[in-house]
Amino acid sequence: MTTDTTQSERIQKALSRAGVGSRRQIEKWIAEQRITVNGVLAELGQRISTKDDVKLDGQQVKILSEQAGLRRVLMYNKPEGVVCSRHDPEGRPTVFDRLPPLKGERWIAIGRLDINTSGLLLFTTDGELANRLMHPSHQVEREYAVRVMGEVTQETTTQLFNGVELEDGFARFTDIVDSGGEGINHWFHVVIMEGRNREVRRLWESQGLQVSRLKRVRYGSVIMPSNLRLGRWESLDQQAVDKLADAVGLSPKPVTPLNPKQQEQGKRLQRKRLKPEGRPNNKKDTKPKAKHKTTHKR
């Protein structure tokens, strides 16, 4: 076991940063005795360094220094009917099915969207970047376009802005913008600072209202472009990735483009016909652009 703490870091952080999986996944794998360090079963919170022999399910994991390595980030337009799991026991399509393949790395989803929610989903190979962008302490904004069924009054939006108590704690919208429409086709743009399960839907439901469409249009500084079609992805450039990293206190790292083979394989996967189980896209009632005019904001 590594004892030089000046050159080591906790195993969950090191493996997450190496792109093996999220910290929560790694903790689960340690509990399941799937990870070894120098031939001995890993322990939760154990410190490791680049000199240690780390294996997951018997396969070597390359540990890089905190300063080393590259950073890749993709933005993906998730369709309804597609799940965010890496593998789905029910055989439903997953968001990972259409991403470009990597060698020696893996894509980590930055947050999740439920099966009935579409829109912007970010992926990265940098586990530490993913962890910080998802963690509530960094207060990263998530903006959604939402179609609400029912009468939305000024009192309703005030209550949602001030906050309500949900079953898993206090929650609120930090920004609410009326985006127009009438009757069952009334749209709002809302912003939350956390990624709790079905949080946007549950906030509206707390006021006796039903969400009929939900689409994420922004995550932090990344706004999904209107020309990014459902089921398609685009790589973020160095400037966009550095801006994301800076927002959560990380230093810049080089962003290397996908090589020609990866790009071709990725494009081939993108051309596969989408067969989601959810509602097909309807251009007439989607609101793909992030809003900036504020009805409520603190």
Side-chain angles (χ1 to χ4, degrees):
M1 183 180 295
T2 301
T3 57
D4 183 3
T5 58
T6 62
Q7 300 296 324
S8 65
E9 57 185 339
R10 289 191 305 158
I11 188 169
Q12 300 100 300
K13 182 178 179 182
L15 294 184
S16 175
R17 184 168 45 75
V20 174
S22 68
R23 294 191 191 185
R24 184 176 297 179
Q25 285 176 316
I26 293 162
E27 290 171 358
K28 182 173 181 287
W29 293 337
I30 291 173
E32 294 171 346
Q33 300 187 340
R34 294 173 58 185
I35 300 176
T36 61
V37 179
N38 302 324
V40 179
L41 288 174
E43 299 176 2
L44 197 62
Q46 176 177 348
R47 300 186 74 86
I48 62 173
S49 75
T50 56
K51 298 178 181 179
D52 288 308
D53 177 27
V54 182
K55 292 181 180 178
L56 170 62
D57 295 333
Q59 299 296 313
Q60 186 94 33
V61 178
K62 187 175 182 180
I63 305 299
L64 300 173
S65 68
E66 198 164 357
Q67 292 74 33
L70 305 174
R71 197 176 266 150
R72 302 182 196 269
V73 180
L74 294 181
M75 57 179 171
Y76 174 76
N77 189 355
K78 176 194 172 298
E80 295 177 14
V82 178
V83 298
C84 287
S85 305
R86 200 171 291 273
H87 303 288
D88 183 64
E90 299 180 33
R92 294 170 297 185
T94 85
V95 294
F96 292 93
D97 293 340
R98 303 170 70 84
L99 302 185
L102 298 173
K103 187 175 182 180
E105 300 175 290
R106 62 189 284 163
W107 294 114
I108 302 171
I110 300 175
R112 301 169 67 90
L113 294 174
D114 67 48
I115 190 169
N116 295 318
T117 301
S118 62
L120 179 62
L121 192 59
L122 297 180
F123 294 87
T124 182
T125 56
D126 186 336
E128 182 61 20
L129 176 63
N131 184 69
R132 293 198 185 193
L133 286 169
M134 289 185 285
H135 201 280
S137 65
H138 288 285
Q139 296 286 283
V140 178
E141 291 187 341
R142 290 93 155 154
E143 182 175 345
Y144 294 81
V146 52
R147 188 175 70 183
V148 179
M149 296 179 65
E151 183 182 359
V152 180
T153 65
Q154 182 66 42
E155 290 74 17
T156 300
T157 56
T158 298
Q159 181 65 62
L160 291 171
F161 179 70
N162 290 335
V164 298
E165 193 69 32
L166 301 178
E167 59 267 29
D168 55 353
F170 184 79
R172 61 182 290 265
F173 293 134
T174 59
D175 196 1
I176 306 173
V177 177
D178 188 330
S179 301
E182 297 179 354
I184 63 171
N185 197 35
H186 202 125
W187 285 87
F188 292 85
H189 276 69
V190 298
V191 174
I192 56 175
M193 310 297 282
E194 296 179 273
R196 282 187 270 171
N197 184 41
R198 299 184 71 254
E199 186 173 358
V200 174
R201 294 180 188 274
R202 289 188 292 135
L203 275 166
W204 287 104
E205 288 167 2
S206 73
Q207 305 302 302
L209 299 165
Q210 188 71 33
V211 171
S212 59
R213 294 295 302 275
L214 185 60
K215 180 173 185 175
R216 185 155 67 196
V217 295
R218 179 170 64 89
Y219 198 111
S221 57
V222 179
I223 299 174
M224 190 172 65
S226 58
N227 62 352
L228 184 61
R229 294 167 55 192
L230 279 172
R232 299 297 177 96
W233 52 263
E234 286 185 8
S235 296
L236 297 188
D237 61 20
Q238 184 76 55
Q239 183 179 7
V241 175
D242 287 351
K243 191 172 182 179
L244 269 179
D246 181 67
V248 291
L250 290 176
S251 301
K253 283 186 179 180
V255 174
T256 300
L258 298 169
N259 64 43
K261 183 177 180 180
Q262 290 170 325
Q263 291 184 26
E264 179 54 37
Q265 289 176 316
K267 289 178 181 178
R268 192 180 306 125
L269 290 171
Q270 285 192 121
R271 288 194 292 266
K272 289 173 62 177
R273 185 178 178 183
L274 277 173
K275 296 181 180 180
E277 296 181 358
R279 186 189 298 105
N281 185 39
N282 183 340
K283 293 182 179 180
K284 292 183 179 180
D285 64 2
T286 57
K287 296 280 185 178
K289 295 183 180 181
K291 295 291 183 178
H292 301 288
K293 180 182 175 182
T294 303
T295 298
H296 283 297
K297 193 164 186 178
R298 178 174 297 170

